[in-house]
């Protein structure tokens, strides 16, 4: 096997120095850069060769590597050569720092060595740096001479330093593989289903497949996926694991699992990538890059910091990153990304693989069969990916931006006129609402004329941002809108028959133009192909064929389901056939709901959580319950809660279990999944309604899309997402072999066959036809438990 390294990657890694400064990063897309390259290349004569491939096989640290790349332009004349390196950026050439020019010339020097090494008769080369400043395409050309011996000396210096880092990494891998081979399962025995799941994961990695795995709550899915993946590392089936989640709480579980295995003598480097907003130091948040001490000179301090972390740390959490970032004065977010290159397990959010705006380019620029993706709580990826691949623009800020840009006409005049022109285009394209006297309309085709105006405004703002601006407020507001334009522009590149263009008024009467992705599965599939294998797992992936369809739509994906490891008699499910929670009946349902809750909690004192499908409905139930039963302690989820408030809500269930506590929370919200209340911390769950998402234009579009494809539109858009919320909420009750309690399904629709056919196999639901029947069932459950 030959490992490949691009010339640019090699040069960047060894020679990069100076500041971490976003101003020096070009906003040109690869497509724009390639267009400029082709334009310049076509101007030359016949002797000019474009995109000339070069490669050399070498051995570093006893590992075979191929160093390869393409010369932008080459002219060969007997024993002489001219090598052209074309670079495009927004920065004026005179403003480029030496650290950037060093990289540009370094790449050309490396190409010179590869060329003269392959053609020994060439003793000297002319290096030509052609720099194009965009968008005006101002061209600067510089020349340098380099001899064969000089190029060899330069290239060898790159290889020597790179080999040191290779040895550092290969030593880690060798020690990791040896310990992974010797590692045993970190518990005395497997829970029911854990061994089977672990075997399925291992085989999936061995055969480079994609696996959808449903394992009930409490199975121990994290250890059952990480353990076999790491064993696969030991057998050289994979080299890097990405453990991706929707929530920080799930990332914490993955961290704890890594610590657990490390305490059992596993040697491995893991890192958690924390979002930029959460990990950035407070003192740098308001600073410009050029004034930020954590960015100025960043690359000059980076390598010593990386070495120190690798020498002293194995599980690199947020606190560890911040500790060393503070010590070496490094931006912690960027530092975590650079550290991740030397780590075996990377824990982070879904978006680092799937989101086209923020995915980790250093890992996912090309396919790598040595990558394994572990996608936790995969049911959350459906809605998240629709958001990732949808883009929208609003007119809410346009008038304000137009007004603000009136100031300083010498600087802002072009920007001001561009904003006014864009506002006019926006109004033309949204006039259809007024003409048809409607609040929303959906269009099959993209708005080509409007999208061209988006591109024009992006260019104008781009040019404006390069100047110095006395008004920081305008600069900040423009920058925020600019990023929204860029996102919209990016999403428009994906537009196909899985999209609809929506034009509508929001609740604040702002007008929105949205590119709505009804089916993100092609994009998810493309992302999953960047690794050798992927395991998408959750407690609720039922029906499996639905999740396989919407999370990749691949013909050869595998499916695996295991039964609950806990005794089936530890929980009782009751469907209250006498409660109707359809929208029309909600007011009439309140009394029966609160009386049924009271019957459940009066059978045995303890802690309970009641889930309702909307905040309005939830507060109606809470108000009625507290008014009827003021002596019973309650706690209610707020619409907005910070981390401390969330933890406080959960902690209440861990205290004073001898008295009744009734928590009220949103179905599908932050407390309906991912919280772990074991033993007698929770002894009952009430679920109000079948959890259908509210009727909406976008859900209807999804319904119509899948109706056309397979006739299951209502199931895909409404029923199955709702049932998933129900199953997740029900899964809060039984977390261990010792957990006991009742689950009350408060909606007569649960008795319908179209819902029951999707119930998990371990759901033995008893039907209650009246309130007295419910009380009897609950009393009998606790009475029989005592026996």
């Amino acid at each position: 096997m030959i490992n490949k390294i691009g010339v640019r990657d090699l040069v960047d890694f060894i020679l990069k120095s100076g500041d971490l400064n976003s101003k020096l990063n070009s906003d040109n897309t690869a497509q724009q850069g390639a267009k400029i390259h082709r334009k310049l290349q076509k101007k030359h004569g016949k002797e000019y060769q474009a995109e000339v491939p070069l490669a050399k096989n070498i051995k570093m640290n006893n590992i075979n590597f191929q160093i390869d790349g393409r010369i932008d332009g080459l002219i060969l004349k007997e024993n002489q050569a001219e090598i052209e390196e074309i670079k495009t950026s927004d920065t004026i050439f005179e403003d480029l720092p030496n650290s950037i020019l060093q990289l540009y010339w370094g790449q050309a020097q490396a190409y010179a060595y590869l060329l003269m090494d392959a053609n020994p008769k060439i003793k000297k080369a002319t290096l030509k740096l052609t720099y194009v400043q965009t968008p005006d395409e101002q061209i600067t050309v510089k020349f340098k001479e380099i001899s064969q011996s000089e190029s060899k000396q330069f290239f060898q210096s790159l290889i020597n330093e790179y080999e040191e880092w290779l040895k550092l990494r290969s030593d880690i891998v060798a020690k990791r593989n040896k310990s992974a081979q010797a590692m045993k399962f970190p518990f005395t025995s497997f829970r029911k289903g854990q061994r089977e799941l672990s075997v399925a994961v291992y085989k999936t990695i061995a055969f480079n497949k994609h696996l959808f795995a449903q394992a009930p709550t409490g199975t121990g899915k994290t250890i059952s996926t990480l353990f076999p993946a790491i064993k696969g590392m030991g057998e050289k089936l994979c080299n890097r694991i990405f453990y991706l989640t929707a929530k920080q709480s799930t990332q914490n579980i993955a961290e704890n699992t890594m610590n657990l295995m490390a305490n059992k003598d596993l040697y491995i480097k893991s890192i958690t990538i924390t979002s930029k907003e959460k990990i950035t130091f407070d003192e740098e948040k308001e600073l410009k890059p050029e004034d930020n001490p954590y960015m100025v000179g960043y690359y000059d301090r980076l390598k010593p910091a990386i070495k120190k972390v690798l020498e002293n740390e194995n599980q690199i959490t947020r606190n560890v990153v911040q500790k060393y970032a503070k010590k070496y004065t490094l931006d912690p977010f960027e530092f975590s990304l650079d550290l991740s290159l030397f780590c075996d397990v990377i824990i982070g959010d879904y978006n680092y693989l799937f989101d086209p705006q923020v995915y980790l380019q250093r890992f996912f620029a090309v396919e790598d069969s040595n990558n394994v993706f572990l996608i936790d709580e995969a049911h959350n990826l459906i809605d998240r990916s629709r958001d990732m691949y949808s883009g929208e623009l609003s007119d809410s800020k346009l008038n304000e931006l137009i007004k603000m840009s009136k100031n300083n006409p010498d600087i802002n005049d072009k920007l001001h006129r561009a904003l006014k022109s864009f506002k006019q285009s926006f109004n033309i394209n949204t006039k259809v609402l007024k003409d048809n006297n409607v609040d929303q309309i959906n269009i099959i085709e993209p708005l080509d004329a409007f999208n061209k105006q988006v591109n024009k405004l992006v260019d104008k703002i781009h040019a404006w941002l390069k100047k110095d601006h006395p008004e920081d407020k305008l600069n900040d507001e423009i920058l925020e809108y600019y990023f929204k334009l860029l996102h919209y522009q990016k999403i428009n590149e994906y537009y196909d028959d899985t999209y609809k263009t929506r034009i509508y008024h929001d609740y604040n009467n702002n007008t929105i133009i949205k590119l709505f992705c009804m089916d993100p599965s092609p994009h998810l599939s493309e992302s999953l192909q960047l690794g050798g294998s992927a395991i998408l797992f959750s407690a609720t992936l039922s029906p499996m064929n639905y999740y396989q369809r919407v999370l990749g739509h691949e013909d050869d994906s595998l499916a695996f389901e295991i039964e609950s490891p806990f005794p089936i008699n530890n929980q009782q499910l009751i469907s209250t056939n006498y409660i109707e929670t359809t929208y029309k009946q909600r007011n009439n349902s309140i009394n029966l709901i609160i009386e049924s809750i009271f019957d459940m909690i009066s059978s045995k004192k303890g802690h309970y959580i009641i889930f309702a499908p909307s905040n309005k409905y939830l507060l109606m139930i809470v108000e009625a319950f507290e008014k009827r039963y003021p002596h019973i302690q309650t706690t209610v989820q707020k619409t907005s809660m910070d981390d401390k408030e969330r933890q406080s809500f959960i902690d209440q269930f861990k205290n004073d279990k001898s008295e009744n506590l009734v928590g009220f929370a949103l179905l599908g919200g932050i407390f309906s999944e991912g919280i772990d209340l074991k033993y007698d911390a929770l002894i009952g769950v009430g679920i109000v309604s079948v959890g259908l998402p509210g009727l909406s234009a976008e859900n209807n579009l999804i319904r119509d899309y899948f109706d056309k494809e397979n006739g299951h539109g209502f199931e895909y858009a409404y029923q199955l997402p709702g049932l998933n919320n129900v199953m997740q909420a029900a899964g809060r009750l039984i977390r261990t072999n010792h957990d006991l309690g009742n689950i009350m399904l408060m909606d007569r629709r649960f008795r319908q066959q179209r819902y029951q056919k999707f119930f998990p196999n371990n759901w033995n639901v008893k039907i209650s036809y009246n309130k007295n029947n419910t009380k009897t069932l609950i009393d009998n459950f606790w009475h029989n438990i005592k026996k």
Side-chain angles (χ1 to χ4, degrees):
M1 176 181 176
I2 296 180
N3 300 279
K4 290 188 175 184
I5 304 174
V7 166
R8 180 172 180 176
D9 293 333
L10 176 66
V11 170
D12 279 2
F13 182 78
I14 301 302
L15 296 185
K16 191 172 279 188
S17 63
D19 302 345
L20 179 69
N21 191 334
S22 59
K23 272 195 171 183
L24 298 175
N25 295 331
S26 174
D27 285 312
N28 300 326
T29 65
Q31 197 175 24
Q32 290 169 323
K35 185 178 179 181
I36 292 172
H37 275 58
R38 289 193 298 270
K39 183 178 178 181
L40 291 174
Q41 289 163 342
K42 285 179 180 178
K43 289 183 177 180
H44 293 277
K46 290 181 180 180
E47 76 279 6
Y48 184 91
Q49 302 175 59
E51 304 298 326
V52 179
L54 291 171
K56 179 179 176 64
N57 291 335
I58 63 172
K59 185 168 280 191
M60 291 187 285
N61 198 39
N62 295 317
I63 303 171
N64 292 320
F65 284 89
Q66 183 184 84
I67 313 295
D68 61 10
R70 287 178 178 273
I71 297 178
D72 292 328
L74 175 64
I75 298 175
L76 281 176
K77 290 182 179 178
E78 296 182 1
N79 298 334
Q80 294 182 334
E82 181 179 282
I83 296 169
E84 182 177 38
E85 180 64 22
I86 302 171
K87 294 295 182 185
T88 64
S89 180
D90 322 318
T91 307
I92 298 171
F93 183 83
E94 288 71 24
D95 290 345
L96 289 174
N98 288 332
S99 58
I100 297 296
L101 290 171
Q102 184 182 26
L103 297 179
Y104 291 171
W105 286 117
Q107 199 171 335
Q109 288 172 272
Y111 286 138
Y113 167 74
L114 293 178
L115 178 70
M116 289 190 277
D117 182 68
N119 301 274
K121 65 179 182 179
I122 303 174
K123 303 299 182 183
K124 186 180 289 188
T126 300
L127 307 181
K128 177 183 179 183
L129 174 61
T130 301
Y131 180 80
V132 184
Q133 185 216 342
T134 57
D136 301 327
E137 296 193 12
Q138 294 182 9
I139 298 174
T140 302
V141 179
K142 299 290 182 180
F143 293 93
K144 276 188 179 182
E145 300 289 328
I146 189 169
S147 68
Q148 189 182 85
S149 60
E150 287 170 337
S151 70
K152 183 176 181 180
Q153 184 179 2
F154 170 78
F155 190 81
Q156 193 58 49
S157 68
L158 294 180
I159 296 302
N160 290 344
E161 184 173 347
Y162 196 81
E163 193 165 18
E164 288 181 26
W165 287 94
L166 272 179
K167 186 175 188 312
L168 177 64
R169 176 63 186 152
S170 64
D171 288 348
I172 291 171
V173 169
K175 192 174 178 181
R176 175 201 76 190
N177 289 351
K178 185 177 179 180
S179 69
Q181 287 175 341
M183 179 179 64
K184 298 188 183 306
F185 193 66
F187 297 103
T188 53
S189 63
F190 286 91
R191 283 183 192 170
K192 180 182 176 183
Q194 280 187 327
R195 184 186 296 275
E196 293 82 358
L197 177 55
S198 295
V199 169
V201 170
Y202 187 89
K203 287 182 177 179
T204 300
I205 294 170
F207 291 102
N208 280 358
K209 293 289 186 179
H210 296 167
L211 172 71
F212 288 78
Q214 177 170 278
T217 298
T219 303
K221 294 181 288 296
T222 307
I223 189 65
S224 301
T225 52
L226 273 171
F227 172 73
I230 290 169
K231 292 297 287 184
M233 273 184 169
E235 300 302 324
K236 299 182 181 180
L237 298 176
C238 59
N239 192 48
R240 188 168 274 123
I241 298 167
F242 294 86
Y243 193 99
L244 304 172
T245 76
K247 295 177 181 153
Q248 185 179 330
S249 59
T250 329
Q251 293 174 19
N252 294 339
I253 294 170
E255 288 177 345
N256 293 337
T257 304
M258 292 305 303
N259 284 328
L260 173 69
M261 289 186 283
N263 291 334
K264 298 290 184 178
D265 297 326
L266 173 67
Y267 177 85
I268 199 165
K269 302 288 183 183
S270 68
I271 188 168
T272 302
I273 306 295
T274 307
S275 69
K276 190 174 182 69
E277 295 74 22
K278 289 186 177 180
I279 201 171
T280 299
F281 295 127
D282 289 339
E283 61 265 31
E284 63 170 325
K285 286 182 178 176
E286 301 301 322
L287 295 176
K288 296 178 179 178
E290 58 269 29
D291 298 326
N292 186 342
Y294 296 96
M295 291 186 175
V296 175
Y298 173 89
Y299 291 107
D300 301 326
R301 301 182 296 274
L302 175 62
K303 289 176 184 174
I306 289 176
K307 283 185 177 178
K308 186 61 71 173
V309 173
L310 295 178
E311 287 169 1
N312 293 281
E313 308 289 346
N314 291 328
Q315 277 59 68
I316 305 168
T317 61
R318 169 182 173 175
N319 290 337
V320 172
V321 171
Q322 288 185 316
K323 170 186 165 185
Y324 286 89
K326 182 74 75 172
K327 180 178 179 180
Y328 286 88
T329 321
L330 298 168
D331 177 78
F333 180 70
E334 293 295 332
F335 184 41
S336 69
L337 296 181
D338 288 319
L339 271 171
S340 67
L341 288 168
F342 297 89
C343 292
D344 311 296
V345 178
I346 298 171
I347 302 167
D349 191 271
Y350 293 155
N351 58 13
Y352 294 127
L353 172 62
F354 297 108
D355 193 318
Q357 293 291 102
V358 298
Y359 75 98
L360 299 176
Q361 293 190 35
R362 62 195 69 204
F363 294 113
F364 305 133
V366 294
E367 294 179 15
D368 186 345
S369 61
N370 288 310
N371 289 337
V372 170
F373 303 134
L374 303 180
I375 316 296
D376 197 356
E377 302 293 359
H379 62 274
N380 285 309
L381 187 54
I382 301 171
D383 287 339
R384 279 286 300 274
S385 58
R386 279 203 183 99
D387 289 341
M388 291 174 190
Y389 284 94
S390 297
E392 65 179 53
L393 291 172
S394 168
D395 68 346
S396 63
K397 285 285 181 113
L398 276 176
N399 287 333
E400 183 181 349
L401 291 174
I402 290 169
K403 184 178 179 181
M404 292 172 69
S405 62
K406 262 187 164 181
N407 301 325
N408 298 311
D410 291 344
I411 300 174
N412 299 335
D413 182 57
K414 289 183 179 179
L415 173 68
H416 178 69
R417 285 189 280 119
L419 288 166
K420 286 180 69 176
S421 178
F422 184 71
K423 171 72 174 180
Q424 184 180 12
S425 175
F426 203 105
N427 291 341
I428 289 170
N429 283 277
T430 57
K431 187 173 176 286
V432 64
L433 297 179
K434 187 176 181 181
D435 291 345
N436 291 277
N437 194 28
V438 293
D439 285 329
Q440 59 181 304
I441 193 165
N442 303 309
I443 303 168
I444 296 175
E445 300 298 329
L447 304 175
D448 290 335
F450 175 74
N451 294 335
K452 287 180 181 177
Q453 291 302 314
V454 171
N455 297 339
K456 286 183 179 180
L457 182 58
V458 165
D459 290 341
K460 293 296 183 184
I461 295 178
H462 185 61
W464 181 84
L465 285 170
K466 290 190 294 181
K467 303 173 183 177
D468 291 324
H469 310 292
E471 295 182 60
D472 284 341
K473 186 178 179 183
L474 175 60
N475 192 73
D476 292 343
E477 295 289 345
I478 285 289
L479 200 58
E480 183 179 342
Y481 200 71
Y482 178 59
F483 288 137
K484 290 178 181 177
L485 289 164
L486 289 177
H487 180 64
Y488 179 95
Q489 195 179 47
K490 179 69 176 177
I491 297 304
N492 188 51
E493 294 175 11
Y494 296 104
Y495 203 100
D496 59 15
D497 59 4
T498 66
Y499 280 83
K500 285 285 178 68
T501 300
R502 299 197 63 230
I503 304 174
Y504 62 96
H505 295 305
D506 66 11
Y507 293 115
N508 297 316
N509 207 35
N510 298 313
T511 307
I512 312 290
I513 295 177
K514 181 174 183 178
L515 309 179
F516 177 60
C517 181
M518 299 172 289
D519 177 19
S521 63
H523 311 300
L524 297 179
S525 177
E526 189 175 333
S527 295
L528 292 174
Q529 295 300 328
L530 294 169
S533 56
I535 294 87
L536 299 93
F537 57 99
S538 171
T540 52
L541 288 183
S542 180
M544 189 68 75
N545 59 355
Y546 160 69
Y547 286 97
Q548 288 176 296
R549 167 61 188 85
V550 297
L551 292 177
H553 201 197
E554 297 167 337
D555 294 334
D556 60 346
S557 64
L558 309 174
F560 179 82
E561 298 182 53
I562 61 176
E563 298 295 324
S564 171
F566 307 123
I568 195 169
N569 293 328
N570 280 18
Q571 71 176 12
Q572 176 177 235
L573 286 103
I574 303 169
S575 177
T576 58
N577 197 50
Y578 54 91
I579 296 177
E580 190 168 351
T581 69
T582 57
Y583 189 78
K584 289 182 180 179
Q585 295 297 323
R586 285 192 174 177
N587 288 331
N588 298 331
S589 69
I590 300 296
N591 279 336
L592 284 173
I593 289 171
I594 65 170
E595 288 170 4
S596 296
I597 295 169
F598 181 76
D599 288 340
M600 180 165 64
I601 68 174
S602 61
S603 288
K604 182 176 175 62
K605 285 189 176 180
H607 296 169
Y608 300 81
I609 298 183
I610 311 301
F611 295 97
S614 71
N615 192 59
K616 183 178 179 181
Y617 198 10
L618 180 73
L619 294 179
M620 289 168 61
I621 296 168
V622 171
E623 183 181 4
F625 186 85
E626 291 179 339
K627 186 175 181 180
R628 181 82 62 88
Y629 309 108
H631 59 287
I632 297 173
Q633 183 184 354
T634 60
T635 182
V636 184
Q637 176 184 343
K638 298 177 184 176
T639 52
S640 175
M641 301 175 80
D642 58 29
D643 291 343
K644 188 175 180 181
E645 289 172 319
R646 294 179 188 183
Q647 192 59 50
S648 177
F649 181 92
I650 294 169
D651 288 344
Q652 292 175 78
F653 291 87
K654 299 175 181 178
N655 303 321
D656 193 14
K657 299 161 190 173
S658 63
E659 293 297 323
N660 276 330
L661 170 66
V662 182
F664 293 90
L666 280 172
L667 189 60
I670 54 176
F671 299 117
S672 66
E673 60 177 285
I675 64 169
D676 204 22
L677 296 172
K678 298 177 181 178
Y679 312 120
D680 55 354
L682 187 67
I683 63 170
V685 168
I687 300 171
V688 179
S689 89
V690 291
L692 295 180
L695 287 170
S696 72
E698 291 184 358
N699 284 335
N700 287 342
L701 286 174
I702 297 167
R703 178 198 63 198
D704 296 343
Y705 176 87
F706 284 106
D707 257 342
K708 186 177 180 181
E709 178 189 287
N710 57 31
H712 294 284
F714 179 76
E715 289 178 8
Y716 277 36
Y718 289 100
Q719 188 180 357
L720 293 174
L723 264 180
N724 187 282
N725 291 335
V726 169
M727 294 174 193
Q728 283 289 330
R732 297 315 94 210
L733 183 63
I734 304 297
R735 312 293 296 178
T736 75
N737 281 320
H738 305 287
D739 295 359
L740 304 165
N742 291 277
I743 297 169
M744 192 157 53
L745 305 173
M746 290 182 273
D747 193 315
R748 68 191 313 166
R749 285 173 289 184
F750 282 114
R751 221 194 140 189
Q752 297 173 1
Q753 176 58 27
R754 64 173 177 169
Y755 286 95
Q756 290 189 353
K757 69 180 181 180
F758 296 125
F759 285 177
N761 292 333
N762 67 322
W763 273 28
N764 181 20
V765 181
K766 296 178 180 178
I767 308 299
S768 173
Y769 295 94
N770 56 59
K771 203 169 69 68
N772 292 334
N773 192 195
T774 299
K775 183 72 167 69
T776 300
L777 286 170
I778 295 172
D779 286 344
N780 289 343
F781 173 82
W782 291 117
H783 177 74
N784 292 332
I785 289 294
K786 289 178 183 178
K787 290 182 179 179

